[in-house]
Amino acid sequence: MEVAPILEEWEELREDYKKLECANVEYLKKLKELNGAQQQCLKHIQHQRYRMQVMAKTLRKLKKNKESSEKIKEMEDNLLKREAELQTIEERLPKKGSVYLKLILGDIDVSFLSKDEKFKYKDDYEKFKLINHVIAVVANVAMLYTSCRAIEILYLGFLVWYYCTITIKEAILRANGSRIKGWWRLHHILSTISSGILLIWPENEPWRQFREQFIWYNLYSCFVTYLQFKYQRGALYRLKALGERDNMDITIEGFHSWMWRGLTFLLPFLFIGYLFQLIHAVVLYKLSYHPEATWQVLTTSILFFVFFLGNTVTTILVVPEKIKQKVMFSYKVMTRRVYNVLSDTVRSGGRTTTNGIQK
Ligand code: COA
């Protein structure tokens, strides 16, 4: 064994390391440039929004005075289009996490800069919910056929963990431009609390009386979650296809008719679930007068009533909101297509594609 070849190899490696150092310097420079560009975009967006707000205010005043309505309509349309454009640009910019995320994860950037990463995260979130509901079905069937307290404790502990996890995932999705309504996020935070309360509810007579009804409700809500999964995943893949400029398989009209069909199928099942929640609230309220009842009974009754109210109102409001936002949705899809062309152009450095689009 001689040391000379190793020394020679070390020299070679030293040369390679110099290349790595250069690449790293280049990387840090680009990172700084990227940071600067992101801040520039954010500043421009803020500026656009500020001026648009002032213009919208003036338009409202003009409308009250019944002045040239044709031009006003055109301007309102322009503002709506621009808002859709701003939202599309914002989708690719870093965002600060909510206070909730900051408390849990600290002050870190949770944004995904590529659309594919975002899509994958949302898809994983939907799959995560489904897989956990399959586990819940197994646990509930086991609880239905046995009266083993250990399974109950394990299941309720699992629910606390599950709801806690999805609130974090939803906060990350929200930070990345998802339009999840505040109620659904609050619903999942309240579900974490209610699962915690159920976990420490002692095994007394009110629990034994409520238990079976609770298990059937869980099984039903697992079934509804499966239907929701089919709908949300279908929407996710169709929206992705809609944003792709070359995709001719789906149109905005096609997406809307699919969505309404999906919603009209899903809504009756959702409302049956909400009725279940109302029944729970009433049954638990009556049970709260039982001599053995502890504070958990009345608290759970109140929480189920809150779920019933919040879910019913939010779901009823989905329909008129979707009708109202139809124009905005079309603008967003169109701007997404345009931005996809632009990002392809940047990536290819201005070459022409095989389908003839000038890049
Ligand atoms: N939980 C998490 N995310 C939800 C959600 C929910 N319950 N409802 C909607 N979202 C998300 C959507 O995926 C969408 O995300 P995106 O912006 O990242 O694409 C965003 O919120 C906006 O959705 P929206 O357009 O308002 O509604 P939708 O068409 O996606 O879904 C419903 C409408 C009614 C089907 C849906 O809200 C739903 O399933 N609600 C019922 C939930 C429930 O009651 N669960 C308990 C069952 S017993």
Side-chain angles (χ1 to χ4, degrees):
M1 287 285 280
E2 278 190 38
V3 78
I6 295 180
L7 289 175
E8 221 171 86
E9 212 174 309
W10 177 245
E11 269 315 305
E12 246 176 62
L13 203 60
R14 209 153 60 175
E15 285 308 308
D16 286 348
Y17 182 70
K18 274 184 197 155
K19 283 182 204 154
L20 168 63
E21 271 185 328
C22 286
N24 188 38
V25 168
E26 188 66 15
Y27 164 69
L28 292 175
K29 201 174 120 204
K30 291 245 157 73
L31 209 59
K32 208 173 158 193
E33 279 171 15
L34 175 75
N35 244 314
Q38 285 172 342
Q39 293 312 318
Q40 278 286 321
C41 288
L42 288 171
K43 241 196 239 164
H44 281 302
I45 290 176
Q46 219 179 355
H47 173 72
Q48 290 272 328
R49 285 236 166 87
Y50 172 73
R51 294 197 62 176
M52 278 160 61
Q53 258 175 16
V54 177
M55 288 162 87
K57 217 168 146 187
T58 317
L59 284 178
R60 274 198 300 273
K61 271 187 202 157
L62 286 172
K63 238 175 156 181
K64 265 190 205 159
N65 297 343
K66 304 212 176 346
E67 281 182 40
S68 57
S69 56
E70 191 79 335
K71 288 268 175 243
I72 292 178
K73 178 84 205 43
E74 198 185 316
M75 256 323 290
E76 278 178 341
D77 218 34
N78 286 341
L79 288 179
L80 201 64
K81 257 187 218 160
R82 177 60 48 84
E83 181 52 38
E85 284 163 351
L86 294 182
Q87 285 183 18
T88 312
I89 295 175
E90 257 177 343
E91 280 173 14
R92 290 163 194 210
L93 288 170
K95 278 172 217 80
K96 286 269 169 221
S98 58
V99 178
Y100 180 66
L101 267 187
K102 269 191 202 149
L103 279 174
I104 295 172
L105 304 176
D107 194 10
I108 56 161
D109 181 6
V110 289
S111 50
F112 305 118
L113 291 184
S114 97
K115 266 182 67 205
D116 288 343
E117 270 178 278
K118 261 186 213 175
F119 172 81
K120 196 175 169 307
Y121 192 79
K122 174 88 189 204
D123 198 32
D124 283 347
Y125 158 80
E126 297 297 345
K127 273 192 236 153
F128 174 83
K129 287 206 289 191
L130 185 74
I131 292 167
N132 282 291
H133 277 83
V134 172
I135 297 172
V137 170
V138 175
N140 277 284
V141 171
M143 276 157 60
L144 198 62
Y145 290 107
T146 62
S147 50
C148 177
R149 183 68 181 152
I151 299 178
E152 278 173 22
I153 298 283
L154 269 176
Y155 172 65
L156 295 170
F158 160 79
L159 277 191
V160 175
W161 166 81
Y162 165 74
Y163 281 119
C164 218
T165 311
I166 60 165
T167 57
I168 299 170
K169 284 180 183 285
E170 281 162 4
I172 294 176
L173 283 169
R174 191 86 178 89
N176 282 285
S178 172
R179 293 154 299 116
I180 301 178
K181 292 196 174 54
W183 165 252
W184 299 125
R185 291 181 57 207
L186 179 66
H187 178 281
H188 294 142
I189 292 171
L190 292 177
S191 299
T192 315
I193 296 170
S194 81
S195 310
I197 293 172
L198 286 168
L199 182 66
I200 55 171
W201 181 340
E203 201 186 5
N204 50 17
E205 190 48 34
W207 169 251
R208 278 188 284 274
Q209 286 187 25
F210 176 62
R211 189 179 175 275
E212 194 172 328
Q213 159 180 352
F214 176 63
I215 294 172
W216 281 113
Y217 164 74
N218 289 337
L219 286 171
Y220 180 77
S221 76
C222 289
F223 164 67
V224 177
T225 302
Y226 171 71
L227 299 182
Q228 277 172 264
F229 170 79
K230 297 272 283 178
Y231 170 81
Q232 292 293 0
R233 207 151 183 244
L236 184 66
Y237 277 83
R238 279 173 178 79
L239 280 174
K240 185 172 188 275
L242 257 183
E244 287 163 6
R245 65 192 163 79
D246 291 339
N247 203 316
M248 294 295 162
D249 299 340
I250 184 157
T251 58
I252 295 175
E253 280 309 314
F255 175 79
H256 267 104
S257 85
W258 172 88
M259 184 193 72
W260 288 118
R261 260 184 286 128
L263 270 181
T264 39
F265 176 74
L266 190 57
L267 288 180
F269 291 102
L270 287 175
F271 287 115
I272 293 172
Y274 305 156
L275 193 67
F276 239 130
Q277 290 168 346
L278 179 65
I279 294 169
H280 280 346
V282 174
V283 168
L284 285 168
Y285 180 73
K286 283 186 187 157
L287 277 175
S288 71
Y289 287 99
H290 192 283
E292 275 185 50
T294 48
W295 63 270
Q296 288 92 345
V297 186
L298 185 61
T299 319
T300 315
S301 160
I302 295 170
L303 281 171
F304 270 116
F305 187 68
V306 172
F307 289 150
F308 158 73
L309 264 187
N311 288 345
T312 310
V313 172
T314 314
T315 306
I316 287 175
L317 288 179
V318 163
V319 176
E321 204 173 281
K322 282 200 179 281
I323 297 170
K324 222 168 72 189
Q325 288 181 349
K326 199 176 169 189
V327 183
M328 178 69 159
F329 176 79
S330 320
Y331 286 155
K332 276 186 92 169
V333 170
M334 283 186 294
T335 42
R336 246 180 231 157
R337 285 185 173 171
V338 172
Y339 281 101
N340 279 342
V341 177
L342 276 178
S343 35
D344 286 355
T345 313
V346 172
R347 249 181 266 137
S348 70
R351 288 190 307 277
T352 309
T353 53
T354 43
N355 62 13
I357 292 175
Q358 184 63 43
K359 284 193 161 188

